Amino acid sequence: MFRINGEYVGVANSAPIYWNGSSGNLPAGFDEAIETIIEENEKPNTLCGLAVVISKEHLGKGISSKIINNLKKLAKSYGYSNLILPVRPTLKSQYPTISMDNYISWEKDNLPFDPWLRVHIKIGGVILKVANLSMIVRGTVSNWQKWTGMHFGESNRYIIPGALNPVNIDLENDLGEYIEPNIWVLHKC
């Protein structure tokens, strides 16, 4: 947790994981990282960041980089030389029809276009690869209508506010499926 004048303004969640250092050996994304952490059989050697949340009032004030640096210090305190994170790019939800591979190639001032990716790169992070199957959310069509407040009148791909990709709605099978991509980022500690 990160505090300013006694007020909590940000928090990060992380857990130790085994990773052999190869991008091909990374979990598929957030969901698989959680499964690996829970079912881990090998001795952890890496810290896996799972979430960083900052209060809206404190966005854009450099807190995110301080939290990532604190995670790096935490990793180092356990003797780990790597911090890996399945990063959810901040602005990707504004471009849900653009593939993540294309989105991360966008630049602004020779840095990634996305502000959250920019923070990581500025403090030494390295993009390892896209995690196209990072998080999968399935539910009935009724579930998706409740969750989104939207009506789905036909089977199709729908743009949902805040989602990084369209949601696939299949009325015949009463299934809504959302597959969220993330970006694996590495920080050396």
Side-chain angles (χ1 to χ4, degrees), residues 14-21 37 40 42-49 68-84 186-189:
S14 63
I17 192 170
Y18 174 79
W19 177 53
N20 73 2
I37 289 162
E40 190 70 68
E42 300 200 44
K43 184 180 177 187
N45 64 355
T46 299
L47 188 63
C48 182
I68 296 299
N69 284 327
N70 283 346
L71 283 173
K72 289 163 62 172
K73 288 177 189 172
L74 178 64
K76 193 172 186 172
S77 76
Y78 282 97
Y80 305 152
S81 58
N82 295 316
L83 166 67
I84 56 173
L186 165 67
H187 289 271
K188 289 295 201 180
C189 307

Side-chain angles (χ1 to χ4, degrees), residues 86-101 103-104 114 116 130-132 134-135 144 157-167 178-183:
V87 174
R88 185 180 201 270
T90 308
L91 297 182
K92 173 66 171 79
S93 63
Q94 295 178 16
Y95 308 94
T97 61
I98 303 299
S99 75
M100 187 64 86
D101 286 305
Y103 180 77
I104 67 167
D114 189 86
W116 191 209
V130 173
N132 282 310
S134 191
M135 187 168 37
W144 278 98
R157 295 176 67 209
Y158 288 85
I159 306 297
I160 307 293
L164 304 191
N165 275 343
V167 173
Y178 171 65
I179 301 174
E180 179 167 294
N182 290 159
I183 309 298

Side-chain angles (χ1 to χ4, degrees), residues 54-63:
I54 299 165
S55 66
K56 288 183 181 180
E57 303 83 43
H58 292 89
L59 290 173
K61 297 180 179 177
I63 293 169

